Amino acid sequence: MKHLRIATRKSALALWQAEHVAARLRAVHSDLEVELVPMTTRGDQVLDRPLSEIGGKGLFLKELEVAMLEHRADIAVHSLKDVPMELEPGFAIGAVLERADAADAFVSNTVERLDQLPEGARVGTSSLRRQAQLRSLRPDLSLLDLRGNVNTRLARLDDGHYDAIILACAGLERLGLGERIRSRLVAPDWIPAVAQGAIAIEQRVADVGVAALVGVLDDAGTRRCVESERAMNRRLHGSCNVPVAGYCVETESGLVLYGLVGDAGSGDLVRAEVEWSGREGGLALGEQVAELLLERGAAEILGRLSPA
Ligand SMILES: NCc1[nH]cc(CCC(=O)O)c1CC(=O)O
């Protein structure tokens, strides 16, 4: 194939990620023409209701998948953390790029760290995972909804609606906004979203030519880690709008996976951490951490319908 079309959302972050994949593909395949096909998804349009109400994160993928089915695009580039645990039939992840900083960022115009916020300070995030961890560390804070793309969220902070917000370091850095990061929230104290910081290439499963082209961008270490995180998430629920966090890193001798389930209302958290010897068996590691979380009360937490 000489020509490859990349379906992407139109947010600045999505376009950066699609451009990044395009540049990497052009660099390895010198005769390949790569073109972006930007499109708006339902997830981008509906900003006034929680994602869980309008159908979950899969909404960010649907239009891109339709474009691939109709052969208006060959691949789609996503933040892997926005990709549901089960893909639609006929689609596969052709490559997972080397992970960027997976940590969440504490962003504020007044203080450097979460523990420096004054009592009752207003923190903006619509993520139940971030709300649960904030509630647990700082029960006094006032947690407020905040959706929209990265630039919208920063603008709302700068307008004074919040004293601080939480964003992914990776997104800020990709947009050249790394200087907005006041401090990084790091494991094991704070766990990021499953697959945070990893970019995935989605393709039609039967497209072996495309698989060969994009497969060269796959990073084996990142894929092992995110597959273990996603196996944990899959075992826990199947949907993407519950307060679950997971982070796997490679150690000298194997893998370690941190898992967390929390209640955004009460700040109750359940944690598990398993060290795994060897680099294989990441799926079993994910399932083991999920089982531990369930034994420790995750099922009860996930069963509560806590208003966020
Ligand atoms: N929720 C949207 C989203 N999806 C991926 C990223 C960041 C980039 C990444 O994780 O690779 C973000 C922004 C954020 O959470 O701050």
Side-chain angles (χ1 to χ4, degrees):
M1 182 189 293
K2 285 263 177 285
H3 194 96
L4 192 86
R5 292 154 307 168
I6 304 181
T8 173
R9 293 164 56 200
K10 288 180 184 162
S11 73
L13 179 59
L15 288 171
W16 186 97
Q17 294 177 167
E19 280 294 357
H20 175 73
V21 167
R24 299 253 345 241
L25 286 171
R26 289 184 195 113
V28 282
H29 307 295
S30 51
D31 60 338
L32 187 69
E33 255 181 64
V34 187
E35 182 197 344
L36 299 199
V37 184
M39 48 191 71
T40 304
T41 69
R42 194 161 147 67
D44 297 302
Q45 281 168 335
V46 184
L47 290 177
D48 55 346
R49 281 182 286 159
L51 282 181
S52 47
E53 244 175 56
I54 56 177
K57 281 187 174 175
L59 285 180
F60 290 115
L61 275 76
K62 177 103 176 126
E63 278 83 358
L64 310 190
E65 289 174 342
V66 170
M68 285 189 277
L69 286 177
E70 294 177 351
H71 292 265
R72 287 181 279 117
D74 305 295
I75 62 172
V77 171
H78 309 291
S79 296
L80 185 54
K81 86 161 171 174
D82 296 329
V83 175
M85 298 314 115
E86 312 286 352
L87 291 178
E88 290 298 317
F91 293 96
I93 300 296
V96 180
L97 275 61
E98 187 183 351
R99 192 176 223 174
D101 189 347
D104 271 335
F106 176 80
V107 181
S108 168
N109 292 320
T110 51
V111 297
E112 294 296 310
R113 295 192 320 266
L114 180 60
D115 61 7
Q116 295 169 337
L117 280 174
E119 188 161 342
R122 300 153 306 155
V123 181
T125 175
S126 291
S127 151
L128 296 179
R129 172 187 65 81
R130 288 171 176 155
Q131 287 178 0
Q133 295 187 84
L134 285 166
R135 185 64 74 221
S136 164
L137 287 166
R138 289 289 307 265
D140 60 294
L141 296 176
S142 162
L143 305 185
L144 303 169
D145 268 323
L146 173 58
R147 276 200 57 206
N149 64 44
V150 174
N151 287 304
T152 308
R153 294 189 213 186
L154 288 170
R156 299 262 302 160
L157 170 72
D158 295 343
D159 284 347
H161 289 92
Y162 312 96
D163 299 301
I165 62 176
I166 311 294
L167 289 169
C169 286
L172 289 167
E173 267 150 20
R174 287 174 188 146
L175 294 174
L177 296 166
E179 82 281 357
R180 299 297 304 253
I181 302 171
R182 294 276 77 81
S183 54
R184 295 169 68 250
L185 298 159
V186 293
D189 297 327
W190 182 285
I191 313 292
V194 161
Q196 186 157 299
I199 295 171
I201 300 177
E202 187 185 19
Q203 62 162 104
R204 295 178 297 257
V205 89
D207 238 330
V208 289
V210 167
L213 281 175
V214 303
V216 295
L217 300 188
D218 194 62
D219 181 75
T222 299
R223 189 182 268 265
R224 266 194 285 277
C225 288
V226 298
E227 279 185 347
S228 144
E229 294 161 16
R230 284 170 64 80
M232 180 200 79
N233 215 11
R234 197 175 287 123
R235 174 70 188 86
L236 284 175
H237 53 84
S239 103
C240 332
N241 301 294
V242 291
V244 174
Y247 182 49
C248 178
V249 274
E250 292 188 298
T251 62
E252 234 162 74
S253 59
L255 302 168
V256 57
L257 174 60
Y258 305 93
L260 177 150
V261 173
D263 183 309
S266 65
D268 293 346
L269 299 183
V270 170
R271 296 172 181 274
E273 176 187 335
V274 170
E275 278 188 51
W276 194 257
S277 57
R279 296 270 154 80
E280 301 310 314
L283 294 183
L285 168 61
E287 277 159 24
Q288 189 175 318
V289 170
E291 294 301 336
L292 279 173
L293 289 167
L294 291 168
E295 275 170 28
R296 293 172 188 175
E300 196 265 319
I301 288 182
L302 291 171
R304 290 181 210 161
L305 277 176
S306 61

